Amino acid sequence: MGISNQVVFSCRKVVQSTREAIVTLQKRNPAIQPLLAILQAGEDDSMLEINKKMAVKIGLNITQICLAKECNEDDIVEELLKLNDDPKVHGIYLHLPRGSITSRVLNTLKPEKDIEGISDLNMGRLIRGDLSKGFVPPLASAVLDLLENHDAPLEGKTVLLVGGEGPLQLAVQCLIERSGMVTLKSHWSSKTLQAQVMQADAVVLLDVGNMYVPPTWIRPGAAIIYSKPALEKGIALYINVVRSCSRWLKGQEYRPWHLRSLKLQPLTPVPSDLEISRAQIPKPVDQLAEEIGLLPEELEAYGRSKAKVRLSVLERLQSQPNGKYILVAGITPTPLGEGKSTVTVGLVQALSAHLKLNSFACLRQPSQGPTFGVKGGAAGGGYAQVIPMEEFNLHLTGDIHAITAANNLVAAAIDARMLHEATQSDKALFNRLVPSVNGVRKFSPIQISRLQRLGIRKTDPASLTPEEINAFVRLDLDPSKITWQRVVDTNDRFLRKITVGQASSEKGQIRETGFDIAVASEIMAILALADSLEDMKNRLARMVVGTSCSGQPITAEDLGVSGALAVLMKDAIKPTLMQTLEGTPVFVHAGPFANIAHGNSSVLADKLALKLVGQDGFVVTEAGFGADIGMEKFFNIKCRASGLRPSVVVLVATVRALKMHGGGPNVSAGAPLPREYTDENLSLVAGGCCSNLKKQIQIAHLFGVPVVVAVNVFKTDTQAEIDLVCQIAKDCGASDALPCNHWAQGGRGSSELAQAVKEAASKPSDFQFLYNTEMPIVEKIRTIAQRVYGADDIELSPEAKSHNNCFSFTHLSLSHMPDKKGAPTGFVLPIRDVRASIGAGFIYPLVGTMSTMPGLPTRPCFYDIDLDPVTEEITGLF
């Protein structure tokens, strides 16, 4: 067979196979378009132009980046970084002078897009024999293809490589030897070249240039291949572009987990939470992300052990079925603590590290107010924690700071607008709100939106009438009806009521206002309920900050600030990935104040986790306070907003807390526990179970969700007390009830709970909402008061209209009376006020007195918190 015929045959084969591969790709995803990026210096040469036309004919898309002929290394690297990050680009071809392709350039080129196979990593893969990820230089691949299609089989035969010293020769040699041939190497100046050629079964001439091998040197039947640069620049590249595109498409599919658990060696007695956390070295967050199927480009690392996860995961896995959705709730809280976060972490450690099931914990980000105040951290405890616990409990990735900045920007905008309206004419306001820039005056998009809400369908500022200008520039906020307050993430009782505007520069615009704790901001509730960046932006725009003197609601969009709020919150909307002590994944995201909002972690964190765990996996999330508050809001508000349906409720109880609900004495901070809580007392346990525990199980059943009771074991609990709780829980309708020892043993101590949850989740649930959205608002409130809290009726002044109800309630009782434990009945629930969080999408009736700014106790936690300036280690967090 003549060598020219072989070349034509090989080229036709590549063209045909490339076309077929593109058709196959587009059957899998009609939107996919393989794209080759050509990075060149100077103008096209004739061969490049021919190859471009051939690429388009085959079905490839091409984009060209033309650098100046005298471009330097920095210019090339800058463009390569852009192409590396562009998901639409599947292959990069460097059409550059040889001297410009430096080691730095090659190491910058992303190996997955290096279709020439010239990067160090791809060459290393070729030498090692790993061709599953990298690419083979097209010229080397073409040479092998020609040899394999020679008339006579060449396996075991000798192939002589002439010239082409360096990576190309090495690539050809590796491929040939892996195909069973023996290689010899020579160079054009060798005195024995003729003899070597005459003895070879095949000769490959690399970098031919003007060199020539006389036909008389070729032994009969031997193959000879002349390789020329045109071949490397030609269609042999195209199949690699398609392969790259195919790999990219395959990489977008759901990836099975390969989770490596971290080993625990629990000590007795159990050390402090901080000591336990510090003794375990977390996996690098990029490693954890890879283990659970996240792509590198979906991760934004914040140091070594935490990272933001991009919402693009939802689009990539949109066809992936959700896993099982588990809610951890608790009995009515007591000062003795129930440990919902600890149970949540222990459960996922048991599911993933011990039952080998995919599971994700979704937790709220704790406020720094309680961390430095009285409660301490919220990362779990003992051997069931999120690590590093110091990072979890402090700044994390700055979401609460972003909320604080956004909230206070709204507050500043309110006061500034009232000042300017009080001190300027309509004309002056208009000229400043719509300034002339280079002689042109035009509205910003957010101002056009305001005009449209006012019914003014004009876009030319010069066309507005004086009446329209007045309506546009005057929000006319009533100072006595401003509902928006500033926030700070610190417990500071002296900011509950303040006076602003006392400086002379504020020209008498004095008014009373106050501060809330940052997590009480409506922006936090919006973050927790939004299901996309667009949804969050729309919700921020709808926030009502007060009313005008004529009674019209004034929104953040009316203030012109909602776009800026979205900018401040654009990173906060991404959940933060962390891990437990046993290396299982955790999303930490949002933490709305459970008294006046819904008190759950974010919808987006749950949705991301449900896709990542796969159809047979589990997502375990937690509701704030007791089941009567946090769980009810989870079902009626969060599930309604997200469209997600829970599979199981894990109801957390402790023997100590049940004793208090059964009539045990009150406890004082810092004082020893009364003997009722340290000695066996079955009567008090039974009283708490038959009142509060039974009621919370009934509340879950109102929504049609099965309940598994988790008894969070303390060292003072007796076996008889634990057995009694489990028995009464099952008698009250729980699917199962089990003791949990995760605090002392880690996931192994909750293995039985994990198995029970798995079994309960395998059975169909009959989830239903407690009320429908069309029900009158008074009836919604009455329904919750009677069916959840056990009230006889309500006393309500109906003033709000919205979609969902969210009770602002004491978390210490099922009634409005904090000292009433168990399950009170026979009371009328007084509704003090009804307020609306329009952006978040719910109203909250206020029951009794409710502070949204906690205060510091006599001895706050910060007394024990310190930093070693040498090691930078934190002490005192618990």
Side-chain angles (χ1 to χ4, degrees):
M1 175 183 271
I3 191 65
S4 61
N5 290 336
Q6 288 190 44
V7 173
V8 171
F9 174 81
S10 179
C11 290
R12 285 177 176 170
K13 181 180 176 183
V14 171
V15 169
Q16 182 179 354
S17 63
T18 303
R19 284 175 175 161
E20 291 172 353
I22 292 174
V23 170
T24 301
L25 281 177
Q26 292 176 338
K27 284 182 180 178
R28 289 167 57 192
N29 185 343
I32 199 73
Q33 290 290 337
L35 177 61
L36 168 64
I38 300 174
L39 183 59
Q40 65 183 85
E43 298 179 356
D44 293 0
D45 57 30
S46 58
M47 187 54 66
L48 178 60
E49 194 61 40
I50 291 171
N51 287 330
K52 281 164 49 184
K53 291 178 180 178
M54 179 61 73
V56 173
K57 188 175 180 181
I58 288 174
L60 293 178
N61 289 338
I62 288 182
T63 182
Q64 278 184 271
I65 298 90
C66 299
L67 300 175
K69 192 171 184 179
E70 61 277 5
C71 65
N72 58 33
E73 188 180 59
D74 289 341
D75 297 329
I76 297 171
V77 167
E78 182 181 352
E79 291 300 330
L80 274 180
L81 290 172
K82 294 177 185 177
L83 295 172
N84 284 345
D85 292 338
D86 188 345
K88 300 185 186 71
V89 173
H90 303 108
I92 301 171
Y93 171 48
L94 301 180
H95 188 68
L96 300 168
R98 182 168 297 182
S100 298
I101 305 179
T102 63
S103 294
R104 182 185 170 207
V105 168
L106 289 178
N107 289 328
T108 301
L109 178 59
K110 197 172 186 178
E112 292 83 356
K113 297 186 180 186
D114 170 28
I115 57 169
E116 297 177 88
I118 57 176
S119 65
D120 292 349
L121 183 55
N122 277 335
M123 289 301 299
R125 286 170 173 164
L126 175 59
I127 294 169
R128 194 174 67 241
D130 178 13
L131 303 181
S132 61
K133 294 182 179 179
F135 290 105
V136 176
L139 178 57
S141 183
V143 167
L144 182 65
D145 189 49
L146 289 169
L147 287 172
E148 288 178 340
N149 285 285
H150 185 59
D151 288 339
L154 289 174
E155 186 174 355
K157 301 296 178 65
T158 300
V159 179
L160 177 65
L161 306 180
V162 182
E165 288 81 2
L168 177 59
Q169 187 187 78
L170 182 61
V172 174
Q173 179 184 350
C174 286
L175 289 178
I176 290 175
E177 290 179 351
R178 196 167 293 117
S179 297
M181 296 174 249
V182 177
T183 59
L184 298 174
K185 292 184 284 186
S186 186
H187 50 83
W188 290 105
S189 60
S190 173
K191 295 179 180 179
T192 61
L193 178 61
Q194 181 177 352
Q196 290 175 306
V197 170
M198 295 181 71
Q199 294 173 6
D201 299 301
V203 179
V204 178
L205 307 177
L206 303 171
D207 289 340
V208 176
N210 295 322
M211 305 305 293
Y212 175 71
V213 173
T216 55
W217 290 13
I218 310 299
R219 62 186 275 188
I224 183 166
I225 298 174
Y226 289 82
S227 72
K228 297 183 178 181
L231 181 61
E232 184 176 6
K233 294 177 182 177
I235 60 174
L237 284 170
Y238 306 154
I239 192 65
N240 279 354
V241 178
V242 179
R243 283 174 183 156
S244 174
C245 182
S246 180
R247 289 174 184 172
W248 178 85
L249 197 58
K250 180 73 175 174
Q252 300 301 300
E253 297 174 357
Y254 178 80
R255 298 184 174 191
W257 285 23
H258 302 285
L259 188 69
R260 178 181 66 85
S261 300
L262 299 178
K263 293 183 179 180
L264 276 185
Q265 295 179 327
L267 301 176
T268 304
V270 176
S272 72
D273 291 351
L274 189 56
E275 289 173 313
I276 293 171
S277 173
R278 194 165 287 157
Q280 186 72 291
I281 299 176
K283 293 179 283 190
V285 71
D286 56 346
Q287 177 187 327
L288 173 64
E290 183 180 8
E291 291 175 355
I292 62 174
L294 287 167
L295 305 180
E297 58 267 25
E298 293 169 341
L299 211 65
E300 297 175 3
Y302 282 64
R304 182 182 181 276
S305 53
K306 59 186 182 292
K308 288 284 191 181
V309 175
R310 294 181 178 175
L311 305 186
S312 58
V313 177
L314 289 174
E315 183 179 356
R316 176 170 68 87
L317 300 180
Q318 58 183 326
S319 61
Q320 171 69 22
N322 287 339
K324 305 292 186 182
Y325 198 25
I326 313 300
L327 174 68
V328 175
I331 61 172
T332 302
T334 69
L336 298 170
E338 286 64 56
K340 295 191 301 298
S341 298
T342 309
V343 170
T344 300
V345 176
L347 176 55
V348 293
Q349 288 181 183
L351 285 165
S352 289
H354 299 273
L355 271 60
K356 304 303 178 184
L357 299 168
N358 293 353
S359 73
F360 231 113
C362 291
L363 298 177
R364 294 170 294 166
Q365 180 182 353
S367 165
Q368 288 180 178
T371 299
F372 291 101
V374 66
K375 182 181 177 184
Y383 287 100
Q385 291 188 57
V386 179
I387 57 173
M389 66 94 76
E390 306 102 302
E391 297 182 22
F392 178 92
N393 284 312
L394 297 176
H395 303 281
L396 200 62
T397 48
D399 293 357
I400 292 181
H401 300 318
I403 289 165
T404 301
N407 185 100
N408 293 344
L409 179 61
V410 176
I414 291 169
D415 286 318
R417 187 60 177 262
M418 289 196 299
L419 168 68
H420 295 312
E421 288 189 23
T423 56
Q424 297 180 52
S425 66
D426 289 356
K427 182 178 180 181
L429 278 171
F430 188 74
N431 287 339
R432 287 179 171 86
L433 288 171
V434 193
S436 176
V437 179
N438 296 325
V440 178
R441 192 186 301 274
K442 65 178 183 178
F443 294 116
S444 66
I446 201 167
Q447 291 176 325
I448 291 176
S449 295
R450 171 160 170 76
L451 287 169
Q452 291 174 345
R453 289 194 304 279
L454 292 170
I456 302 171
R457 307 298 176 185
K458 297 178 180 180
T459 57
D460 180 6
S463 66
L464 266 62
T465 66
E467 293 76 16
E468 290 171 338
I469 288 175
N470 175 267
F472 172 71
V473 301
R474 299 284 172 188
L475 298 181
D476 199 22
L477 272 161
D478 184 342
S480 66
K481 294 183 179 178
I482 293 171
T483 56
W484 197 265
Q485 300 209 119
R486 290 169 171 83
V487 300
V488 65
D489 196 30
T490 303
N491 289 5
D492 191 345
R493 66 177 70 245
F494 284 89
L495 293 177
R496 289 171 179 167
K497 181 175 284 190
I498 63 170
T499 302
V500 296
Q502 296 187 84
S504 59
S505 56
E506 274 53 77
K507 302 178 182 179
Q509 297 298 306
I510 298 173
R511 68 181 183 92
E512 282 192 351
T513 180
F515 273 76
D516 296 327
I517 190 86
V519 293
S521 170
E522 184 177 352
I523 296 176
M524 174 63 90
I526 287 172
L527 177 67
L529 289 172
D531 65 6
S532 66
L533 190 57
E534 182 179 8
D535 182 38
M536 182 182 71
K537 183 179 177 181
N538 292 336
R539 288 174 180 265
L540 291 170
R542 293 197 300 267
M543 293 188 305
V544 173
V545 302
T547 56
S548 69
C549 292
S550 61
Q552 294 299 310
I554 303 299
T555 66
E557 191 172 30
D558 289 323
L559 282 169
V561 76
S562 56
L565 301 182
V567 170
L568 286 171
M569 295 293 295
K570 71 179 181 66
D571 291 320
I573 198 173
K574 304 165 192 171
T576 298
L577 176 65
M578 296 187 77
Q579 63 193 282
T580 68
L581 279 166
E582 297 192 57
T584 66
V586 178
F587 273 141
V588 186
H589 200 216
F593 206 52
N595 297 79
I596 63 166
H598 58 294
N600 302 140
S601 62
S602 78
V603 165
L604 280 169
D606 292 357
K607 285 189 171 184
L608 284 166
L610 285 164
K611 294 298 182 185
L612 287 167
V613 296
Q615 191 168 8
D616 299 322
F618 295 82
V619 171
V620 184
T621 190
E622 174 194 352
F625 294 145
D628 52 299
I629 294 183
M631 183 181 72
E632 181 270 318
K633 295 174 183 177
F634 175 87
F635 290 147
N636 277 327
I637 296 177
K638 185 176 180 182
C639 289
R640 202 186 297 270
S642 68
L644 301 174
R645 299 294 179 261
S647 305
V648 178
V649 167
V650 175
L651 187 64
V652 181
T654 65
V655 168
R656 301 190 311 177
L658 288 169
K659 286 179 178 179
M660 181 171 281
H661 284 297
N666 292 330
V667 297
S668 301
L673 286 178
R675 292 187 59 185
E676 288 87 346
Y677 298 112
T678 57
D679 296 345
E680 184 175 285
N681 192 318
L682 298 179
S683 175
L684 287 178
V685 171
C689 288
C690 294
S691 57
N692 198 271
L693 179 62
K694 178 181 179 180
K695 178 63 176 176
Q696 305 290 13
I697 293 172
Q698 291 172 344
I699 293 171
H701 286 165
L702 287 175
F703 295 91
V705 183
V707 177
V708 174
V709 171
V711 182
N712 192 14
V713 174
F714 283 72
K715 62 182 179 181
T716 55
D717 301 345
T718 68
Q719 191 60 49
E721 289 174 329
I722 294 170
D723 292 342
L724 181 60
V725 175
C726 292
Q727 185 57 54
I728 294 177
K730 286 185 272 192
D731 292 344
C732 291
S735 300
D736 209 341
L738 303 110
C740 305
N741 292 284
H742 42 265
W743 183 81
Q745 301 173 13
R748 181 167 57 86
S750 281
S751 293
E752 291 185 1
L753 173 65
Q755 189 62 47
V757 168
K758 178 186 175 186
E759 291 176 7
S762 66
K763 300 172 184 176
S765 65
D766 186 25
F767 177 76
Q768 58 189 2
F769 294 115
L770 199 59
Y771 55 82
N772 60 59
T773 55
E774 289 74 29
M775 187 182 291
I777 191 165
V778 175
E779 292 308 311
K780 291 180 185 178
I781 296 173
R782 180 175 285 111
T783 297
I784 295 174
Q786 292 177 334
R787 301 189 67 187
V788 175
Y789 300 119
D792 285 347
D793 205 349
I794 60 171
E795 291 179 359
L796 171 70
S797 225
E799 297 174 344
K801 297 178 182 179
S802 188
H803 297 94
N804 304 316
N805 296 328
C806 176
F807 268 75
S808 176
F809 212 82
T810 175
H811 59 284
L812 299 174
S813 173
L814 278 162
S815 73
H816 59 290
M817 299 165 282
D819 58 331
K820 298 294 183 182
K821 305 302 180 185
T825 57
F827 61 93
V828 174
L829 191 66
I831 307 300
R832 179 169 61 88
D833 196 2
V834 179
R835 296 180 183 172
S837 291
I838 301 300
F842 55 75
I843 69 161
Y844 53 100
L846 296 176
V847 180
T849 301
M850 184 61 57
S851 174
T852 53
M853 170 55 81
L856 290 172
T858 304
R859 192 185 190 282
C861 294
F862 61 63
Y863 274 91
D864 301 310
I865 298 172
D866 204 355
L867 178 73
D868 186 319
V870 177
T871 64
E872 297 186 12
E873 286 191 342
I874 297 170
T875 57
L877 284 175
F878 59 92

